Amino acid sequence: MPSDDEIVNILSLDGGGVRALSEVMMLDRIMKRIQEKNGLTEIPKPCDYFHLIGGIGTGGIAAILFGRLRMTTTEALTGYENIASEIFSTRKRRLEFSIDFREEKVEKGMKKVMKDRKDGNLMRDEKGERSTGKSFVVARRSDGSLRRIRAYRHGQNQQNLTIYEAARATAASIESSGDRYFADDTKDYKNPIREVLEEATEVLENTAKVGCVLSLGAGTKDIHNRYEPTKDGKKRHTEKTDNDMRRRFANVPDTYFRLNVYDMADKVEANKSHEIPAVKSETERWLGTSAIRGVIDRIVDVLTNGTTSGVTVDKLTLDEINPKLKQGETAESPTTHPVSQANTNPKQPTHNNNDMDPDDPTYRSEQADLWAQYSEYASTLGPSSPESLTLLDRIFEHMLTHKHLSCSLRVAEEAYKRCLARNGPSALTTSSHFGSVIKAQILLGEVFRAYDLQEELVSLFTKTLGPEHAITQQAMETLEKLRENKRKREWGMESAMSIMMKHEDWVRGRPEAVLRVEIGDEGYEQRGRDYVNAVVVYAAVQVGDVCKARGGCKERGFGEVDGRLGISASKDAEMEMGLVDDFS
C-alpha cells in the first residue's frame, strides 16, 4: 500500500468492443511521450506509473494485460488486437451471438496471448503484493449488480479465479443495444470510473495524495446523438458518468482527465473485427491534433513530475471535491476576471458606432485563428470540454479588446451555459464564466442587469466559500460599485424623464412656428437637442460597440458568431447538447 506521502495515479478503462483498442493506443502514446521527455531507452510500462488499474468489458481485458500481466503498451497493442479479432470475428459466426459463445472466444484469445508467458494462470498475482499496477476487472451479475475480480488480496472473501475466468466474466458485461444501464443509472456498464474510485478508497492509503485520475473511453457519439434507451424505458445521456466526474473534480484542476475519441461511436461498429483498421485510423487522426497533444503533455507532466492538487484518496467518492481555500488564496475563479476593474461609470461619452469598422482586417484575422483552434478543440474534445471553454474565454477577451461587445456577451453566455451544465452551479470555473457575463453586461451599459447577476454571484460565494473569504469580499466590493452606479443611473433616468416631461408640457401640441416665436430660433434648437439627449439617456447608457455599427454583427443577425458557437439550433437541440433551457 502506498505511503502517506506517496502520490498515487489511477487508471480506468471503458468497455466498447473493438473500439477499446483506441484506449490501448492512447496509453501507448502517453508512455512513448514519457519515454521521449525523460530520455528512456525503453518504453515504460503503465503498471509502473498507475497504482490502480480497473476496467469493464473489453476495457477489463485491457486492464488484465496492463496490470496482472504487466505488459508494455507495445505488447498490449498486439495482444488486444488478437483477442478482439478472436472475440468479434465474423467468420463462422453463430446467428445468435450468445454470452456463452463470446466467453469461449475470450478464453481462446487470452490463451493465445498468454502462450509462452511465465505469469501463472491465476488472476491473483502469485508474485505477491505490489505497490503499483494493482488491477481488477468489473463484472456484471445477472441481477444487474456489479462485482470486482481482483489480482490482489482484499478483505472480502473471494474465489481465486484463473485469468481466463476473470476475462470471461468481465466480457459478459459487454453491453448490448439499449442495455448500457440497469434501473440504477449510477451503474454504467461501459464506464467503470465510479467502481474504480470506490476501489481506490478500499485498497490505497486514504491519506495518500492523488496525482492523476485517467479515464479512457472507446469513442463518443455526436453531441446531438448522446441519448440512448435503457431497459427501464428511460433515456440516459451516454456521457453522463463523465459529466458527473467532471463536476466532481471541477475545483481541482489537472487531476481528472478523460480521453475519448470524438464521434467514433457513430462511425465505427463495436462488435465487428473488420472495424479494427477504422479504429486505428480514427484514433491516430484524433491523437495527431494539437488539442490532444496538449492534453497528453499535461497528463505526462502529472505522471512524471509527481504533481498533485492536494486531493487525498478518501475524497475521491465525494459528489463534489472542493478543498476549502484559505484566506487570500487564489483559484481559477472570478478573481482572475477583472469585473471590478470594468468601467461601471454610467456617465460615458456618446459614441457614434457607425464610425467604427466592423470588418477591421486585423481583428477578423486574429478571430479566425482563435475560432480555428476552438473548432479543433470542440471537434476532438467536445464543445463543453475545459479546453474548449478556455478557448471561448480567450475569444471573449479578444472581442472585448476590439469593442465587439454584443458578440462578447453571446460568447460569455454560451460558455457559462456549457460550464454550468457540465460542472454545476457551485464550481469555481462556472462562477468564472458567470463573471464574464457580468463583465460584458457592465461594458454594454446594462447596469441593472449586471447588478442583479452580481447579487446572485455574491450569494453563491457566501454560501459556498463563506462571507469572510477573499473571493466573496472582492465580489461584494464589485457589487457595491455597481450599486452606486445603479443609483447614478436611476438619478440620470429621473433627470432625463423630468426634461422630457417639461419639454412635452411646453409643446402641448402647439405648432413649431409658434414655439420659435416664443423663445427664438436658437432657444428652440437648444431645447430640441436637450430633449433628444434626454430620450437617449433614458433609453440606455451610450457605449462604443462595433457590433452595432452599420453593416456590423447586429445588422447581420449575429449569424457568424452563433454559427461558430453552434447555437443556431432549436431549444430541443440545445437541451440535447446538455445546456440549460433558458439562460435568462
Side-chain angles (χ1 to χ4, degrees), residues 11-15 23 27 53-56 59-60 62-63 66 190 192 196 216:
L11 174 63
S12 175
L13 300 158
D14 283 17
E23 300 171 33
L27 203 53
I53 303 172
I56 191 170
F66 290 129
K190 182 178 286 186
V196 173
L216 300 182

Side-chain angles (χ1 to χ4, degrees), residues 158-179:
Q158 62 175 29
Q159 292 177 293
N160 191 11
L161 304 177
T162 65
I163 293 174
Y164 317 125
E165 289 170 329
R168 287 179 61 146
T170 194
S173 301
I174 299 172
E175 81 291 339
S176 57
S177 178
D179 193 22

Side-chain angles (χ1 to χ4, degrees), residues 100-371:
D100 289 341
F101 179 53
R102 178 167 56 211
E103 289 179 9
E104 291 172 10
K105 297 177 80 102
V106 168
E107 183 168 338
K108 185 178 179 181
M110 287 297 299
K111 286 182 175 178
K112 282 184 179 179
V113 169
M114 291 179 62
K115 186 179 180 181
D116 300 327
R117 292 185 65 92
K118 298 178 181 179
D119 299 294
N121 292 330
L122 292 178
M123 181 61 174
R124 187 178 300 161
D125 194 343
E126 297 166 356
K127 295 180 180 178
E129 293 296 300
R130 302 176 188 266
S131 60
T132 61
K134 292 178 181 289
S135 63
F136 73 100
V137 299
V138 180
R140 178 172 57 165
R141 298 186 179 96
S142 58
D143 64 356
S145 62
L146 300 173
R147 65 168 175 151
R148 303 168 200 165
I149 303 172
R150 304 169 175 91
Y152 46 86
R153 294 188 179 278
H154 189 268
Q156 298 178 2
N157 292 326
Q158 62 175 29
Q159 292 177 293
N160 191 11
L161 304 177
T162 65
I163 293 174
Y164 317 125
E165 289 170 329
R168 287 179 61 146
T170 194
S173 301
I174 299 172
E175 81 291 339
S176 57
S177 178
D179 193 22
R180 174 172 179 170
Y181 300 97
F182 206 65
D184 179 2
D185 65 5
T186 62
K187 294 182 178 67
D188 186 338
Y189 300 138
K190 182 178 286 186
N191 185 344
I193 184 64
R194 286 192 181 93
E195 293 290 318
V196 173
L197 295 182
E198 287 177 9
E199 182 73 2
T201 63
E202 295 180 20
V203 303
L204 300 179
E205 183 63 51
N206 271 210
T207 54
K209 290 184 171 60
V210 178
C212 172
V213 176
L214 177 59
S215 175
L216 300 182
T220 73
K221 292 189 175 184
D222 178 82
I223 197 167
H224 295 287
N225 190 30
R226 289 187 181 174
Y227 283 89
E228 56 184 34
T230 62
K231 274 190 173 181
D232 56 6
K234 298 179 181 179
K235 287 187 175 182
R236 292 190 176 90
H237 200 285
T238 58
E239 297 303 310
K240 181 183 184 303
T241 302
D242 174 44
N243 290 342
D244 290 346
M245 289 301 114
R246 289 187 186 278
R247 289 190 185 97
R248 181 179 296 186
F249 288 92
N251 294 334
V252 281
D254 285 342
T255 301
Y256 173 76
F257 297 91
R258 172 77 169 168
L259 295 180
N260 205 4
V261 179
Y262 194 72
D263 279 3
M264 187 168 70
D266 287 327
K267 300 175 183 177
V268 180
E269 290 188 65
N271 60 352
K272 303 286 180 63
S273 60
H274 67 259
E275 294 278 24
I276 288 176
V279 173
K280 291 181 177 180
S281 174
E282 285 293 316
T283 306
E284 285 293 346
R285 176 194 60 78
W286 187 77
L287 287 171
T289 61
S290 61
I292 300 304
R293 290 199 302 271
V295 175
I296 287 176
D297 277 345
R298 284 164 53 203
I299 294 170
V300 168
D301 286 343
V302 175
L303 290 174
T304 57
N305 296 335
T307 56
T308 176
S309 60
V311 177
T312 51
V313 170
D314 61 318
K315 301 293 192 300
L316 290 176
T317 54
L318 296 177
D319 288 338
E320 183 177 359
I321 302 171
N322 187 7
K324 188 174 181 180
L325 299 174
K326 297 178 181 178
Q327 185 72 20
E329 194 170 83
T330 59
E332 185 184 357
S333 69
T335 54
T336 61
H337 285 259
V339 177
S340 59
Q341 299 173 13
N343 181 12
T344 58
N345 187 351
K347 295 182 178 180
Q348 300 184 46
T350 301
H351 295 272
N352 184 356
N353 291 318
N354 288 328
D355 291 339
M356 299 179 173
D357 181 9
D359 294 312
D360 174 55
T362 301
Y363 169 78
R364 296 190 69 83
S365 174
E366 292 172 351
Q367 277 282 301
D369 290 342
L370 287 169
W371 281 113

Side-chain angles (χ1 to χ4, degrees), residues 17-29:
V18 296
R19 291 199 303 262
L21 175 62
S22 69
E23 300 171 33
V24 185
M25 295 175 67
M26 288 185 270
L27 203 53
D28 180 60
R29 185 63 59 91

Side-chain angles (χ1 to χ4, degrees), residues 372-549:
Q373 192 173 358
Y374 164 78
S375 178
E376 182 181 354
Y377 277 42
S379 63
T380 53
L381 297 171
S384 298
S385 67
E387 293 77 12
S388 298
L389 293 177
T390 299
L391 253 297
L392 286 183
D393 196 46
R394 286 177 57 192
I395 291 168
F396 164 78
E397 292 292 347
H398 185 261
M399 286 176 168
L400 288 186
T401 301
H402 291 269
K403 296 191 179 299
H404 280 256
L405 304 183
S406 295
C407 280
S408 75
L409 177 59
R410 299 174 88 83
V411 171
E413 288 182 346
E414 188 64 21
Y416 167 70
K417 287 192 290 184
R418 294 178 185 182
C419 194
L420 175 65
R422 179 176 288 279
N423 299 325
S426 60
L428 292 177
T429 49
T430 304
S431 300
S432 177
H433 289 290
F434 193 53
S436 295
V437 174
I438 297 171
K439 182 178 180 180
Q441 294 278 11
I442 292 170
L443 293 174
L444 279 164
E446 299 291 343
V447 180
F448 298 113
R449 179 63 175 148
Y451 177 81
D452 291 342
L453 294 178
Q454 188 68 20
E455 265 195 328
E456 293 181 27
L457 193 60
V458 168
S459 176
L460 177 64
F461 285 155
T462 301
K463 181 179 178 181
T464 57
L465 299 175
E468 302 303 321
H469 196 280
I471 293 176
T472 309
Q473 291 293 313
Q474 184 176 352
M476 287 179 174
E477 290 173 10
T478 301
L479 181 64
E480 194 56 44
K481 290 180 181 180
L482 284 171
R483 182 180 286 112
E484 179 62 26
N485 288 332
K486 181 185 174 188
R487 283 196 290 264
K488 290 178 181 178
R489 174 73 180 126
E490 287 169 344
W491 178 84
M493 291 176 69
E494 289 175 3
S495 299
M497 177 59 73
S498 176
I499 293 171
M500 291 159 61
M501 291 179 66
K502 287 180 180 178
H503 182 80
E504 290 166 3
D505 287 343
W506 174 67
V507 173
R508 293 195 310 274
R510 293 184 293 170
E512 179 182 330
V514 174
L515 299 176
R516 285 183 180 274
V517 169
E518 183 174 317
I519 59 173
D521 289 341
E522 185 176 342
Y524 178 83
E525 296 293 343
Q526 183 60 50
R527 281 206 176 190
R529 285 192 293 270
D530 291 343
Y531 179 78
V532 171
N533 286 337
V535 171
V536 171
V537 168
Y538 185 83
V541 175
Q542 296 302 293
V543 297
D545 184 4
V546 181
C547 297
K548 296 177 181 177

